[in-house]
Amino acid sequence: MTDFGRRSAMQSVVEPNNGRSNIPLPSTIKKPTPHGRMSMAGPALRGPMPQVPGTNPRLSMMRSQNLNPLLQSASKPGFGRTPMHNNTRRGSMWAGGAQIGPLPGGQGSAKDTRPLRDKQFQARMRQDIVTWLLSNGYDVPPQILQNVSNKDFRSVFERLVTLLDSSWPFELDRRLEEQFLQPLRALRYPYVGQIDLKWIVTPATPHSWPHLLGVLHWLAETGRMRMHYVDSDDVTLQNSSVVPEQFDDINHHEALAMDHYIASYAVFLEGKDAFPEQERILEERYGKLVKDGQVVAELDESKEQSMQVQNELEMLTESPAPIEKLKEDFARIKRDKAKFEEILRRCEHQKEKRIKFLERETAELANAVSSLEKLQAEKQRLADVVKVQNLTPEEVIRMNTEHETLSRDVETLKHKIAETNQAVVKLEVSLTRKVSDAEEALDLYNNLLSNLGLFPPLPPPLEEIDLTLDLNSAAANPQNLLSGPDIRVVVKPTLSKVAEIKRTERALVESERIKVDDELDQLTLECENMDEEVMEISNKVNGLSDQADELREVAQQEALVSNAEASRLERDLAQARTSAMANGVGVKSRMQALQIAYREQVDKVNRLKDETMRAIIKNSSDIFMFKEEVSKQLKHLRDVAEAN
């Protein structure tokens, strides 16, 4: 609660760079912006500011951006009094405190839609208010709001406001109607424009009590919501004590930035413009986040995964659609199916030819066996006939001689038949080998056709040509041994065309490869040129950085000179005041002249500071943007080179 109240003076930090990034980094958080600090004589060329007696003349450095009414405080912290010899307070140019005028955006004129005149709703509101006061340690009677008096109403109102802002300055010697609207405006009560201060005198009247009861009920509900919000440990509370060592939430960054600005503001109110200790604490806190090896490893891993995903995305983008590949595979599978069916048909055809050849050979063997049996039976019959014949010796000798001659002729014929059979067997073996070699050559030829994609159907414009050959070893005519297209007329010219097409395609691919190599060499040369340009630009950037450092040093020297001059003028002003007290009214003109000179000198110092900071920020931003653009171009060029 104490830390929450301490934060209420400065709730948020103005977003730098027009909202591009609201994460404060150690390298970018230097000190509070100089635009928030006002000169002792007020802003240049600006009308007089309203002054409230008895308050601090120096207010917040920064404009509050937190519009959450639960986190806003209507009071100011106790510190922050500028050592000036006056007792007036100039209102903040950022209007961070209580608002005296109407709320912006027409909030004070909104129409109240609550059923305030409903008796049941009023009873429920009274019960909620009393319950909230009792739960916070205020001993009030339950019937205090039944017929409320001006004193009881003031007591309840002040307690409810105190629960929201414990440091709100209620003055007991002033009437309630004189200090009733200020806390409501500060807490942004939406229906403040409908309240008539005459109601405060007699709050229990029927026409005024519903509205005043609605005010009390709204304060009680707002306090309950604020308590719930403060106790919720939400990250938007900007409590740096609950910020973990490793974080990436913007609210955690804003919590650390808030602590830094509060500590720097306290030093600033002491009259110092440098905050090295506060910057060191913030840098050490962010150093824990940056130097953690696990975070760096996770960051590298995330970068690698991002690169892999990017490469996969580029590959998927550049590659054709999967449906196209599936269509190509489907067409190829259909072609393979047609080829396999053709091969299966040919194998079935060859199987049928082999079966018919075996049946024919079996029939011929059976005929040869039956002929042999007939010849043996004829031989036996002839031998029986010879036995029963009555021949003379001369006939027998002649017959024996003829038989011997015939026997020798038969032997000769048998020998010739045996030799002929041997020659036939040799020729059959040779023929079988040659047929086997021919079949192997045809199988090899068909396999080559299948591997080269020349199996029917052929690619256009040769889809009508069938290059497959088949061997018919049982054909009697040698011209019918090969079934299929003619080798000299069809096969050789077609294969020559296919070879010419493949040579042309290979020449095109080789030309494309040479072209890609030339483009790669050009890209490599461009990369080298780009590296040289980057080196030159880096040298220019270093030169600009040196110039910015020189400009900063010159600005600091001028600021020191201006500060010395301001100190001298302030001493002269003090002396002038002393002399004025001694010499009377005649010295007032000189004192006013010195005050004007002092104001001009302070304005000049502030302008120099502003111009210097703007120049440094602009140069740093330009250098950063230039480095970012060069890095993006180099990365794009490297990706293009790797992709090619």
Side-chain angles (χ1 to χ4, degrees), residues 364-387:
E364 291 179 357
L365 181 60
N367 292 330
V369 171
S370 61
S371 300
L372 181 59
E373 290 177 353
K374 289 179 180 179
L375 290 174
Q376 288 178 354
E378 184 65 23
K379 179 181 177 182
Q380 187 65 31
R381 187 183 64 79
L382 291 175
D384 293 339
V385 170
V386 171
K387 286 181 181 179

Side-chain angles (χ1 to χ4, degrees), residues 159-225:
R159 289 178 181 180
L160 291 175
V161 172
T162 305
L163 288 175
L164 288 171
D165 189 353
S166 59
S167 59
W168 183 265
F170 283 111
E171 299 179 10
L172 299 178
D173 54 348
R174 294 178 60 191
R175 293 181 300 174
L176 178 61
E177 52 266 27
E178 295 178 359
Q179 47 186 346
F180 182 75
L181 295 181
Q182 286 81 0
L184 295 182
R185 289 196 179 102
L187 295 172
R188 284 174 170 75
Y189 179 63
Y191 315 116
V192 69
Q194 301 178 7
I195 298 176
D196 189 356
L197 293 178
K198 296 178 182 179
W199 297 345
I200 310 301
V201 180
T202 55
T205 56
H207 67 279
S208 61
W209 176 240
H211 296 282
L212 297 179
L213 182 61
V215 172
L216 299 180
H217 184 260
W218 184 86
L219 292 174
E221 290 298 316
T222 304
R224 186 179 289 108
M225 292 171 60

Side-chain angles (χ1 to χ4, degrees), residues 428-489:
E428 287 179 352
V429 171
S430 177
L431 178 62
T432 303
R433 291 177 180 175
K434 290 182 179 180
V435 169
S436 178
D437 294 339
E439 289 179 349
E440 290 179 357
L442 287 177
D443 291 338
L444 179 61
Y445 172 74
N446 291 326
N447 291 332
L448 287 175
L449 290 180
S450 178
N451 293 331
L452 296 175
L454 301 178
F455 213 80
L458 296 177
L462 307 174
E463 57 271 288
E464 301 295 335
I465 300 175
D466 187 4
L467 297 177
T468 58
L469 298 175
D470 191 11
L471 180 64
N472 187 10
S473 59
N477 189 358
Q479 296 180 354
N480 297 328
L481 287 174
L482 290 175
S483 61
D486 188 80
I487 295 177
R488 295 186 181 87
V489 179

Side-chain angles (χ1 to χ4, degrees), residues 400-414:
N400 289 333
T401 303
E402 292 178 356
H403 182 268
E404 291 176 357
T405 303
L406 291 173
S407 298
R408 286 194 296 273
D409 293 338
V410 169
E411 291 294 333
T412 303
L413 291 173
K414 287 182 179 180

